[in-house]
């Protein structure tokens, strides 16, 4: 699959959110291969999520979850 380094839309979305005044500590989670045995979840904030995703080399398909709901991850942890 295409890695985030090839797909520009997620990067543009994060940059635009920051430019629009979203707080740098806005919680974000990226779920790769959700609901499969290969599922991986990376969490961070608007200020560092792109770097974390690049470091972990996440690929498509990935779901981006934005907002305080990300803070419920441990409580709602149903898969990994």
């Amino acid at each position: 699959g295409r890695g985030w380094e090839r797909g520009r839309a997620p990067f543009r979305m994060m940059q635009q959110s920051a430019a629009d005044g979203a707080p740098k500590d806005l919680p974000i989670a990226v779920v790769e291969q959700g609901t499969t045995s290969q599922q991986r979840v990376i969490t961070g904030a608007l200020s560092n999520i792109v770097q974390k995703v690049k470091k972990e080399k996440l690929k498509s398909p990935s779901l981006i979850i934005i907002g305080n709901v990300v803070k419920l991850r441990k409580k709602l942890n149903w898969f990994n």
Side-chain angles (χ1 to χ4, degrees):
R2 288 178 52 152
W4 271 48
E5 60 278 356
R6 290 185 187 168
R8 299 197 189 280
F11 291 126
R12 282 194 304 254
M13 183 181 69
M14 300 302 165
Q15 290 171 337
Q16 189 61 49
S17 295
D20 288 344
K24 292 182 180 184
D25 63 347
L26 181 67
I28 300 177
V30 181
V31 182
E32 175 192 57
Q33 302 288 329
T35 73
T36 72
S37 60
Q38 291 88 29
Q39 176 175 309
R40 292 194 299 161
V41 180
I42 304 298
T43 58
L46 181 60
S47 62
N48 64 10
I49 195 67
V50 172
Q51 293 84 2
K52 287 183 168 192
V53 167
K54 283 182 174 183
K55 181 181 176 187
E56 294 298 323
K57 299 179 181 177
L58 265 63
K59 298 179 181 168
S60 297
S62 294
L63 175 68
I64 302 169
I65 303 166
I66 301 172
N68 288 330
V69 69
V70 172
K71 295 177 183 178
L72 298 174
R73 177 177 181 223
K74 289 181 182 179
K75 186 176 185 177
L76 300 176
N77 189 6
W78 61 273
F79 192 73
N80 66 346

